[in-house]
């Protein structure tokens, strides 16, 4: 069963979450791994509906979709992370549709017991709290890096101004003109205009 968990980890389908609504009620869809099964859960914040998928049950769903297990998990992950979801509540059952049209993956989730509801809500609550803390830490580190780079650029600004005083790269200097050289042919001397015969 360790292989099954590794398969789900590599496919990045564990610990996903996404909100959606059916026009009236907002739902949180989430996944987690517990007791050698992937738990797919939906909650309106009060009640929880869940489905446990072990290796065999997931393979049955995959077989109905007519694709490989890798393609199935990619389709599931992409649909959940992009929010391509729809939730329909019928009695004590929730039908979760991931994706759309003929390629959609459908799951029937059933109302959790009081103990299961408490466990699932507790699990997702702490996971989201940890994620928020992690994002705050990363944001603080990114802001610190930006401030450091700004101060380094400000200190280096004086040197940049001095360097700008030098000749521009690629600038061509005009050579000084030599006195007495022809304008049309710079390599030859000017010829004096003929003055005719000069008598003393």
């Amino acid at each position: 069963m360790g292989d099954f968990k590794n398969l789900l980890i590599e496919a990045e389908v564990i610990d996903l979450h996404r909100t959606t609504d059916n026009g009236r009620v907002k739902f949180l869809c989430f996944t987690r791994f517990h007791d050698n099964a992937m738990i797919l859960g939906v909650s309106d914040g009060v009640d929880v509906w869940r489905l446990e998928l072990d290796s065999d049950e997931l393979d049955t769903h995959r077989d109905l979709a007519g694709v490989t297990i890798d393609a199935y998990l990619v389709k599931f992950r992409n649909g959940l992370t992009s929010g391509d979801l729809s939730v329909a509540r019928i009695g004590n059952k929730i039908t979760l549709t991931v994706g759309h049209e003929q390629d959609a993956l459908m799951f029937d989730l059933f109302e959790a017991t009081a103990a299961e509801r408490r466990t699932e809500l507790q699990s997702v609550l702490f996971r989201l709290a940890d994620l928020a803390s992690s994002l705050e830490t990363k944001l603080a580190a990114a802001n610190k890096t930006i401030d450091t780079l700004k101060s380094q650029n400000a200190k280096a600004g004086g040197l940049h101004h001095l360097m700008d005083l030098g000749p521009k790269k690629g600038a061509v200097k005009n050579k000084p003109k030599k006195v007495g050289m022809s304008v049309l042919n710079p390599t030859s001397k000017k010829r004096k205009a003929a003055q005719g015969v000069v008598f003393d």
Side-chain angles (χ1 to χ4, degrees):
M1 286 295 180
D3 291 340
F4 180 55
K5 184 176 182 180
N6 291 335
L7 174 70
L8 298 179
I9 291 172
E10 287 174 11
E12 298 176 353
V13 295
I14 295 179
D15 294 340
L16 297 178
H17 60 272
R18 184 77 186 203
T19 58
T20 188
D21 65 76
N22 63 1
R24 301 184 309 277
V25 182
K26 193 165 190 176
F27 294 97
L28 172 66
C29 305
F30 59 91
T31 65
R32 72 184 186 99
F33 190 84
H34 180 68
D35 282 345
N36 297 320
M38 181 175 81
I39 295 175
L40 179 55
V42 172
S43 175
D44 60 1
V46 178
D47 293 317
V48 174
W49 296 263
R50 67 198 293 274
L51 173 66
E52 289 190 24
L53 293 166
D54 63 16
S55 179
D56 293 336
E57 289 165 335
L58 187 63
D59 198 51
T60 301
H61 278 78
R62 189 271 320 156
D63 194 39
L64 290 171
V67 294
T68 65
I69 189 65
D70 291 334
Y72 184 86
L73 292 174
V74 166
K75 187 184 294 187
F76 176 81
R77 183 188 69 230
N78 290 345
L80 198 65
T81 56
S82 67
D84 193 4
L85 305 166
S86 65
V87 174
R89 181 175 178 180
I90 305 165
N92 67 341
K93 182 178 78 170
I94 284 274
T95 298
L96 173 65
T97 305
V98 180
H100 56 283
E101 298 175 0
Q102 295 177 347
D103 294 335
L105 309 176
M106 298 181 72
F107 304 91
D108 288 333
L109 289 74
F110 295 91
E111 198 167 356
T113 64
E116 289 171 338
R117 182 171 65 239
R118 186 169 58 248
T119 301
E120 298 302 342
L121 290 176
Q122 186 181 51
S123 173
V124 76
L125 176 67
F126 282 114
R127 183 209 307 170
L128 293 175
D130 287 341
L131 181 61
S133 298
S134 174
L135 290 174
E136 285 176 0
T137 302
K138 288 178 182 177
L139 180 61
N143 285 334
K144 188 175 180 180
T145 302
I146 290 169
D147 291 340
T148 302
L149 291 173
K150 280 182 181 177
S151 65
Q152 288 175 349
N153 285 340
K155 289 177 184 176
L159 293 174
H160 288 311
H161 292 308
L162 290 175
M163 292 172 75
D164 287 344
L165 296 175
K168 299 281 184 189
K169 190 174 182 181
V172 179
K173 288 186 177 179
N174 292 330
K175 293 182 180 178
K177 293 182 180 177
K178 293 182 181 177
V179 180
M181 302 302 280
S182 168
V183 175
L184 297 176
N185 190 358
T187 59
S188 62
K189 290 187 176 181
K190 285 184 183 176
R191 292 185 181 174
K192 292 183 179 179
Q195 296 178 352
V197 180
V198 179
F199 294 98
D200 289 335

